[in-house]
Amino acid sequence: MSFPGGTSVSHLDVYSDAAGDGICGGSPHLHLVSTEAYLVVSGEGELQSIDGEGYRETPLTAGSVVWFTPGTIHRAVNNGGLRVVVLMSNAGLPEAGDAVMTFPAEVVADAAAYAEAASLGAPQEQAGRAARRRDLAVAGFEVLRDAALAGDPAPLAAFHAAAGALVRERAAAWPGLVAAGPLAQAQESLALASAVAAGDVGHLATARVHEAAASTGERRFGMCGRLRTYDVTAVPTDQESSR
């Protein structure tokens, strides 16, 4: 059994250095299929977002639980020590390209230019390139934010269309990931519920505890900050049910 709901989990330390606009935080972006949730562990900040209802700033403090659906442009802002547990639906899908950063329109419209701007390069380059791509994403975000504040929905609609065009080719593999992950888990749960309703509880004998292994080494550079990820896909076959 994979992690509940076919989701993924990671620890996020939101970037604490300032972008070009003087605000500390991550690279604004959206997901096209996946819903993301923040469970704030410590620190303070806010979530800046743009969606069909306009621009919004949602405070983040220890204990906050905030989630945002596909198409929500979001920017994590760190006002001091912001650390978050991130839950992401459709485990594996974000890693397969279900995210587009808010680079300026001319970059998002050019697949090669986008790939170059998004690339972190060699390990020794990653800190600098993460900062540069964040600043570029903030520049595009400001255009979309200002339009939303002015009541002009056209730039957001254009960005959504450009993001869809950018990922369309690689999205061909996404239905399979969803089918093998959350859909398969939901179907298994439905089958178990039907079995219990019919008086069959044989599956209870196979109950086990599973423990995820955290990624080793340096936390990687993510879009919003430094990430420590967990492998929640591997399912041991001989793990004991108790320790």
Side-chain angles (χ1 to χ4, degrees):
M1 175 70 72
S2 59
F3 197 71
T7 59
S8 63
V9 60
S10 58
H11 272 108
L12 169 67
D13 291 353
V14 178
Y15 291 129
S16 58
D17 61 314
D21 62 353
I23 296 176
C24 301
S27 305
H29 63 282
L30 59 69
H31 298 280
L32 287 93
V33 176
S34 299
T35 293
E36 185 173 2
Y38 283 178
L39 288 69
V40 181
V41 175
S42 61
E44 295 183 352
E46 64 186 36
L47 183 79
Q48 297 182 347
S49 61
I50 305 170
D51 58 24
E53 295 185 341
Y55 174 74
R56 177 180 177 184
E57 296 178 355
T58 304
L60 299 176
T61 58
S64 295
V65 177
V66 177
W67 66 96
F68 28 97
T69 56
T72 303
I73 295 172
H74 52 283
R75 179 191 188 187
V77 173
N78 187 353
N79 293 333
L82 186 61
R83 301 180 68 235
V84 175
V85 171
V86 178
L87 292 179
M88 181 71 70
S89 68
N90 306 315
L93 195 57
E95 294 78 8
D98 175 32
V100 174
M101 286 178 274
T102 56
F103 297 149
E106 64 273 14
V107 178
V108 180
D110 184 328
Y114 183 92
E116 170 60 26
S119 173
L120 289 173
Q124 66 272 19
E125 302 175 319
Q126 290 185 356
R129 291 187 66 92
R132 285 194 294 274
R133 76 177 186 181
R134 186 267 313 274
D135 290 350
L136 189 63
V138 168
F141 177 81
E142 290 178 314
V143 173
L144 297 170
R145 179 202 61 200
D146 292 348
L149 289 172
D152 180 5
L156 178 61
F159 178 76
H160 283 169
L166 185 67
V167 306
R168 183 175 181 181
E169 185 172 323
R170 63 177 177 262
W174 295 358
L177 290 172
V178 174
L183 180 58
Q185 194 169 121
Q187 289 172 333
E188 182 178 1
S189 294
L190 181 60
L192 294 179
S194 298
V196 172
D200 178 3
V201 295
H203 65 280
L204 300 183
T206 65
R208 298 292 185 273
V209 172
H210 301 290
E211 183 175 358
S215 58
T216 59
E218 288 290 323
R219 294 166 297 161
R220 68 180 180 86
F221 289 93
M223 285 180 285
C224 293
R226 300 297 297 273
L227 284 171
R228 175 166 285 112
T229 58
Y230 293 82
D231 182 1
V232 294
T233 58
V235 181
T237 58
D238 58 353
Q239 188 170 356
E240 294 181 357
S241 60
S242 64
R243 288 181 170 84

